[in-house]
Amino acid sequence: MNALDAETKMQFLFALRSRGVTETRVLEAMESIDRGAFLRGIFAERAYEDVPLPISCGQTISQPSVVGLMTQALQVSPRDTVLEVGTGSGYQAAVLARIARRVYTIDRHARLVQEARQVFEQLNLSNITSLVGDGSFGMPDQAPFDRIIVTAAAEDPPGPLLSQLKVGGIMVVPVGQSDTVQTLIRVRKSENGLEYDELRPVRFVPLLEGLGKET
Ligand code: SAH
């Protein structure tokens, strides 16, 4: 199957819309980024199905509708600098790169960052900076950020990330104490403090400490 075939793309966009991804900018960004480029072998053939799929290091590329809903919830403007914690395949970062000024993305697995960088280059996405590290500590050198998106589940929104968010900024993070029950939270930072908003149930791999052992 040709991943870019018009019929496949139409069905992909239809599925996104029917699951609540309705913003034109987000849909256009997702239409322009080939999810198949972030997948290997047999999984690349399933790139346009609305399902999470396995990637290297025992991790997963998120479900497209979840990528769309999180991107939408982040309310990114074209001038924004965004931090993503959990590069994984790089797909979410690539979608963000289409609608933000600059995207910083960090993962604890060096191999995932290397593979994602190759795809960013192949797709000419020059406004993404990727780094290997424990993203729970954010990226102090590049802070503060207008937007922060965490694509692994934490017990609580990590303190360093909250402090690296600009006043007026928004952070989207899955929060939960187990692998099965997690809620997507939106945090808004104002001069008066932090305001939390529960968005929907989600299921992500856990945010782990330290660097990953390569597999
Ligand atoms: N956004 C990705 C999917 C993320 S899967 C995509 O679009 O494909 C979750 C990722 O979070 C995994 O790659 C995992 O290695 C990473 N991760 C988990 N804990 C982390 C931490 N403390 N710092 C950085 N990355 C982390």
Side-chain angles (χ1 to χ4, degrees), residues 38 55-57 59-62 67 84-93 105-109 112 133-137 151-152 204-210:
F38 297 88
I55 54 172
S56 307
C57 304
Q59 304 301 315
T60 47
I61 185 172
S62 309
V67 170
E84 180 198 27
V85 176
T87 311
S89 67
Y91 178 62
Q92 171 76 72
T105 182
I106 182 166
D107 203 289
R108 58 193 289 278
H109 283 287
L112 289 174
D134 183 345
S136 321
F137 300 101
T151 61
F204 278 87
V205 300
L207 190 71
L208 299 174
E209 280 177 19

Short mmCIF file of all heavy atoms in Angstrom, two decimals, residues 38 55-57 59-62 67 84-93 105-109 112 133-137 151-152 204-210, ligand 1:
data_model
loop_
_atom_site.label_atom_id
_atom_site.label_comp_id
_atom_site.label_asym_id
_atom_site.label_seq_id
_atom_site.Cartn_x
_atom_site.Cartn_y
_atom_site.Cartn_z
N PHE A 38 8.22 7.31 10.20
CA PHE A 38 8.66 7.13 11.59
C PHE A 38 8.52 5.67 12.05
O PHE A 38 8.73 5.36 13.21
CB PHE A 38 7.86 8.04 12.52
CG PHE A 38 8.08 9.50 12.21
CD1 PHE A 38 7.29 10.15 11.27
CD2 PHE A 38 9.09 10.20 12.83
CE1 PHE A 38 7.51 11.48 10.96
CE2 PHE A 38 9.32 11.54 12.54
CZ PHE A 38 8.52 12.17 11.60
N ILE A 55 7.87 0.78 18.28
CA ILE A 55 9.08 1.36 17.68
C ILE A 55 10.28 0.75 18.42
O ILE A 55 10.09 -0.15 19.25
CB ILE A 55 9.09 2.91 17.76
CG1 ILE A 55 8.89 3.39 19.22
CG2 ILE A 55 8.00 3.50 16.87
CD1 ILE A 55 9.08 4.89 19.42
N SER A 56 11.50 1.21 18.16
CA SER A 56 12.68 0.66 18.82
C SER A 56 12.62 0.83 20.34
O SER A 56 11.84 1.63 20.84
CB SER A 56 13.95 1.36 18.31
OG SER A 56 14.01 1.34 16.92
N CYS A 57 13.52 0.10 21.03
CA CYS A 57 13.71 0.22 22.48
C CYS A 57 12.44 -0.12 23.26
O CYS A 57 12.26 0.37 24.38
CB CYS A 57 14.18 1.63 22.86
SG CYS A 57 15.68 2.15 22.02
N GLN A 59 9.44 0.84 22.87
CA GLN A 59 8.54 1.99 23.07
C GLN A 59 7.44 1.97 22.01
O GLN A 59 7.41 1.07 21.17
CB GLN A 59 9.35 3.28 23.02
CG GLN A 59 10.49 3.31 24.03
CD GLN A 59 10.01 3.16 25.47
OE1 GLN A 59 9.04 3.78 25.88
NE2 GLN A 59 10.66 2.28 26.23
N THR A 60 6.56 2.95 22.05
CA THR A 60 5.48 3.00 21.06
C THR A 60 5.30 4.40 20.48
O THR A 60 5.52 5.40 21.16
CB THR A 60 4.11 2.60 21.68
OG1 THR A 60 3.93 3.30 22.91
CG2 THR A 60 4.01 1.13 21.93
N ILE A 61 4.90 4.43 19.22
CA ILE A 61 4.47 5.68 18.58
C ILE A 61 3.01 5.83 18.98
O ILE A 61 2.25 4.86 18.96
CB ILE A 61 4.64 5.62 17.04
CG1 ILE A 61 4.30 6.96 16.37
CG2 ILE A 61 3.82 4.51 16.41
CD1 ILE A 61 4.66 6.99 14.86
N SER A 62 2.62 7.03 19.39
CA SER A 62 1.25 7.22 19.89
C SER A 62 0.23 7.08 18.76
O SER A 62 0.55 7.20 17.58
CB SER A 62 1.11 8.61 20.51
OG SER A 62 2.13 8.84 21.43
N VAL A 67 -2.26 12.06 19.29
CA VAL A 67 -1.29 13.09 18.88
C VAL A 67 -2.06 14.37 18.50
O VAL A 67 -1.71 15.48 18.92
CB VAL A 67 -0.41 12.61 17.70
CG1 VAL A 67 0.41 13.75 17.10
CG2 VAL A 67 0.50 11.47 18.15
N GLU A 84 9.13 19.08 23.99
CA GLU A 84 8.48 17.77 24.10
C GLU A 84 9.37 16.84 24.92
O GLU A 84 10.55 16.68 24.61
CB GLU A 84 8.26 17.13 22.72
CG GLU A 84 7.57 15.77 22.86
CD GLU A 84 7.68 14.85 21.64
OE1 GLU A 84 8.66 14.98 20.87
OE2 GLU A 84 6.81 14.01 21.47
N VAL A 85 8.80 16.20 25.93
CA VAL A 85 9.52 15.18 26.69
C VAL A 85 9.02 13.82 26.21
O VAL A 85 7.83 13.52 26.32
CB VAL A 85 9.30 15.34 28.20
CG1 VAL A 85 9.97 14.20 28.97
CG2 VAL A 85 9.83 16.69 28.67
N GLY A 86 9.92 13.01 25.65
CA GLY A 86 9.55 11.70 25.10
C GLY A 86 9.49 11.73 23.59
O GLY A 86 8.43 11.61 22.99
N THR A 87 10.67 11.86 22.96
CA THR A 87 10.76 11.94 21.49
C THR A 87 10.16 10.70 20.82
O THR A 87 9.46 10.81 19.82
CB THR A 87 12.24 12.04 21.05
OG1 THR A 87 12.88 13.05 21.82
CG2 THR A 87 12.38 12.34 19.57
N GLY A 88 10.47 9.53 21.38
CA GLY A 88 10.00 8.27 20.78
C GLY A 88 10.39 8.20 19.33
O GLY A 88 11.57 8.32 18.98
N SER A 89 9.41 8.05 18.46
CA SER A 89 9.68 7.96 17.01
C SER A 89 10.02 9.32 16.41
O SER A 89 10.60 9.40 15.33
CB SER A 89 8.43 7.44 16.31
OG SER A 89 7.38 8.40 16.40
N GLY A 90 9.59 10.40 17.08
CA GLY A 90 9.77 11.74 16.52
C GLY A 90 8.52 12.28 15.84
O GLY A 90 8.48 13.44 15.42
N TYR A 91 7.48 11.45 15.74
CA TYR A 91 6.28 11.86 14.99
C TYR A 91 5.58 13.08 15.61
O TYR A 91 5.27 14.05 14.93
CB TYR A 91 5.31 10.67 14.90
CG TYR A 91 4.02 11.00 14.20
CD1 TYR A 91 4.00 11.40 12.87
CD2 TYR A 91 2.79 10.91 14.86
CE1 TYR A 91 2.82 11.70 12.21
CE2 TYR A 91 1.60 11.21 14.22
CZ TYR A 91 1.62 11.61 12.89
OH TYR A 91 0.44 11.91 12.26
N GLN A 92 5.37 13.03 16.92
CA GLN A 92 4.70 14.16 17.59
C GLN A 92 5.52 15.46 17.42
O GLN A 92 4.96 16.52 17.15
CB GLN A 92 4.51 13.83 19.08
CG GLN A 92 4.04 14.99 19.93
CD GLN A 92 2.56 15.33 19.78
OE1 GLN A 92 1.69 14.60 20.23
NE2 GLN A 92 2.28 16.43 19.13
N ALA A 93 6.84 15.34 17.54
CA ALA A 93 7.71 16.52 17.37
C ALA A 93 7.58 17.08 15.96
O ALA A 93 7.54 18.30 15.76
CB ALA A 93 9.16 16.14 17.66
N THR A 105 13.10 18.54 21.65
CA THR A 105 12.56 17.26 22.08
C THR A 105 13.65 16.43 22.72
O THR A 105 14.81 16.47 22.29
CB THR A 105 11.86 16.53 20.90
OG1 THR A 105 11.29 15.30 21.38
CG2 THR A 105 12.81 16.22 19.75
N ILE A 106 13.31 15.70 23.77
CA ILE A 106 14.31 14.96 24.54
C ILE A 106 13.80 13.56 24.84
O ILE A 106 12.61 13.37 25.11
CB ILE A 106 14.66 15.75 25.85
CG1 ILE A 106 15.74 15.03 26.67
CG2 ILE A 106 13.43 16.01 26.71
CD1 ILE A 106 16.36 15.92 27.76
N ASP A 107 14.71 12.57 24.74
CA ASP A 107 14.34 11.19 25.10
C ASP A 107 15.50 10.56 25.86
O ASP A 107 16.66 10.91 25.65
CB ASP A 107 14.00 10.35 23.86
CG ASP A 107 13.10 9.17 24.20
OD1 ASP A 107 13.59 8.20 24.85
OD2 ASP A 107 11.90 9.21 23.86
N ARG A 108 15.17 9.60 26.73
CA ARG A 108 16.21 8.93 27.53
C ARG A 108 16.92 7.83 26.74
O ARG A 108 17.91 7.29 27.20
CB ARG A 108 15.63 8.41 28.84
CG ARG A 108 14.50 7.44 28.68
CD ARG A 108 13.78 7.21 29.99
NE ARG A 108 14.56 6.43 30.93
CZ ARG A 108 14.65 5.10 30.91
NH1 ARG A 108 14.04 4.41 29.98
NH2 ARG A 108 15.37 4.47 31.83
N HIS A 109 16.40 7.48 25.55
CA HIS A 109 17.04 6.47 24.71
C HIS A 109 17.80 7.13 23.55
O HIS A 109 17.19 7.72 22.66
CB HIS A 109 16.00 5.52 24.11
CG HIS A 109 15.48 4.50 25.07
ND1 HIS A 109 16.24 3.43 25.48
CD2 HIS A 109 14.29 4.39 25.70
CE1 HIS A 109 15.53 2.69 26.33
NE2 HIS A 109 14.34 3.25 26.49
N LEU A 112 16.69 6.09 19.97
CA LEU A 112 15.47 6.70 19.45
C LEU A 112 15.76 8.12 18.94
O LEU A 112 15.27 8.52 17.89
CB LEU A 112 14.39 6.75 20.54
CG LEU A 112 13.77 5.39 20.91
CD1 LEU A 112 12.83 5.54 22.10
CD2 LEU A 112 13.02 4.80 19.72
N GLY A 133 18.57 12.61 27.08
CA GLY A 133 18.65 12.94 28.50
C GLY A 133 17.38 12.58 29.22
O GLY A 133 16.41 12.12 28.61
N ASP A 134 17.40 12.78 30.53
CA ASP A 134 16.20 12.56 31.34
C ASP A 134 15.35 13.83 31.28
O ASP A 134 15.69 14.84 31.89
CB ASP A 134 16.61 12.22 32.78
CG ASP A 134 15.40 11.91 33.66
OD1 ASP A 134 14.26 12.23 33.26
OD2 ASP A 134 15.59 11.36 34.76
N GLY A 135 14.26 13.72 30.54
CA GLY A 135 13.42 14.90 30.31
C GLY A 135 12.62 15.36 31.51
O GLY A 135 12.01 16.43 31.46
N SER A 136 12.63 14.59 32.60
CA SER A 136 11.94 15.05 33.82
C SER A 136 12.55 16.36 34.32
O SER A 136 11.92 17.10 35.05
CB SER A 136 12.06 14.04 34.96
OG SER A 136 11.95 12.76 34.48
N PHE A 137 13.81 16.57 33.93
CA PHE A 137 14.49 17.80 34.36
C PHE A 137 14.38 18.90 33.30
O PHE A 137 14.97 19.96 33.45
CB PHE A 137 15.96 17.50 34.69
CG PHE A 137 16.09 16.49 35.80
CD1 PHE A 137 16.37 15.16 35.52
CD2 PHE A 137 15.86 16.87 37.12
CE1 PHE A 137 16.44 14.23 36.55
CE2 PHE A 137 15.93 15.94 38.15
CZ PHE A 137 16.22 14.61 37.86
N THR A 151 4.99 13.15 26.67
CA THR A 151 4.32 12.03 26.02
C THR A 151 4.67 10.70 26.71
O THR A 151 4.75 9.66 26.08
CB THR A 151 4.62 11.98 24.51
OG1 THR A 151 6.03 11.81 24.32
CG2 THR A 151 4.19 13.25 23.82
N ALA A 152 4.90 10.77 28.03
CA ALA A 152 5.04 9.59 28.87
C ALA A 152 4.33 9.98 30.18
O ALA A 152 4.25 11.17 30.51
CB ALA A 152 6.50 9.28 29.12
N PHE A 204 -0.26 5.88 28.34
CA PHE A 204 1.11 6.10 27.86
C PHE A 204 2.09 5.21 28.61
O PHE A 204 1.80 4.75 29.71
CB PHE A 204 1.51 7.57 28.06
CG PHE A 204 1.02 8.48 26.97
CD1 PHE A 204 -0.24 9.06 27.04
CD2 PHE A 204 1.80 8.75 25.86
CE1 PHE A 204 -0.70 9.89 26.03
CE2 PHE A 204 1.35 9.58 24.84
CZ PHE A 204 0.10 10.15 24.93
N VAL A 205 3.28 5.02 28.03
CA VAL A 205 4.35 4.34 28.77
C VAL A 205 4.79 5.29 29.90
O VAL A 205 4.61 6.50 29.80
CB VAL A 205 5.56 3.97 27.87
CG1 VAL A 205 5.13 3.03 26.75
CG2 VAL A 205 6.24 5.21 27.30
N PRO A 206 5.36 4.74 30.99
CA PRO A 206 5.72 5.61 32.11
C PRO A 206 6.94 6.48 31.83
O PRO A 206 7.82 6.11 31.06
CB PRO A 206 6.02 4.61 33.24
CG PRO A 206 6.35 3.34 32.56
CD PRO A 206 5.62 3.32 31.26
N LEU A 207 6.95 7.63 32.47
CA LEU A 207 8.12 8.51 32.48
C LEU A 207 9.10 7.87 33.47
O LEU A 207 8.78 7.71 34.65
CB LEU A 207 7.69 9.89 32.97
CG LEU A 207 8.67 11.03 32.85
CD1 LEU A 207 8.85 11.45 31.38
CD2 LEU A 207 8.19 12.24 33.66
N LEU A 208 10.27 7.46 32.97
CA LEU A 208 11.23 6.77 33.81
C LEU A 208 12.42 7.66 34.13
O LEU A 208 12.71 8.61 33.39
CB LEU A 208 11.73 5.49 33.10
CG LEU A 208 10.65 4.46 32.78
CD1 LEU A 208 11.23 3.32 31.94
CD2 LEU A 208 10.02 3.91 34.07
N GLU A 209 13.11 7.32 35.22
CA GLU A 209 14.28 8.12 35.62
C GLU A 209 15.53 7.70 34.85
O GLU A 209 15.68 6.55 34.49
CB GLU A 209 14.55 7.92 37.11
CG GLU A 209 13.65 8.75 37.97
CD GLU A 209 13.88 8.47 39.45
OE1 GLU A 209 14.96 7.94 39.79
OE2 GLU A 209 12.98 8.80 40.23
N GLY A 210 16.43 8.63 34.66
CA GLY A 210 17.76 8.34 34.12
C GLY A 210 17.74 8.00 32.64
O GLY A 210 16.73 8.14 31.97
N1 SAH B 1 6.04 11.20 21.30
C1 SAH B 1 6.44 9.90 20.81
C2 SAH B 1 5.90 8.74 21.61
C3 SAH B 1 6.46 8.72 22.98
S1 SAH B 1 6.61 7.12 23.72
C4 SAH B 1 6.11 9.74 19.36
O1 SAH B 1 5.54 10.66 18.75
O2 SAH B 1 6.47 8.70 18.79
C5 SAH B 1 7.30 7.71 25.24
C6 SAH B 1 8.76 8.05 25.16
O3 SAH B 1 9.10 8.67 26.39
C7 SAH B 1 9.66 6.85 24.99
O4 SAH B 1 10.43 6.99 23.86
C8 SAH B 1 10.52 6.87 26.27
O5 SAH B 1 11.86 6.49 26.03
C9 SAH B 1 10.43 8.32 26.67
N2 SAH B 1 10.72 8.61 28.08
C10 SAH B 1 10.28 7.97 29.19
N3 SAH B 1 10.77 8.56 30.30
C11 SAH B 1 11.54 9.60 29.87
C12 SAH B 1 12.32 10.60 30.53
N4 SAH B 1 12.44 10.65 31.86
N5 SAH B 1 12.97 11.50 29.76
C13 SAH B 1 12.89 11.48 28.42
N6 SAH B 1 12.18 10.57 27.75
C14 SAH B 1 11.50 9.64 28.46
#
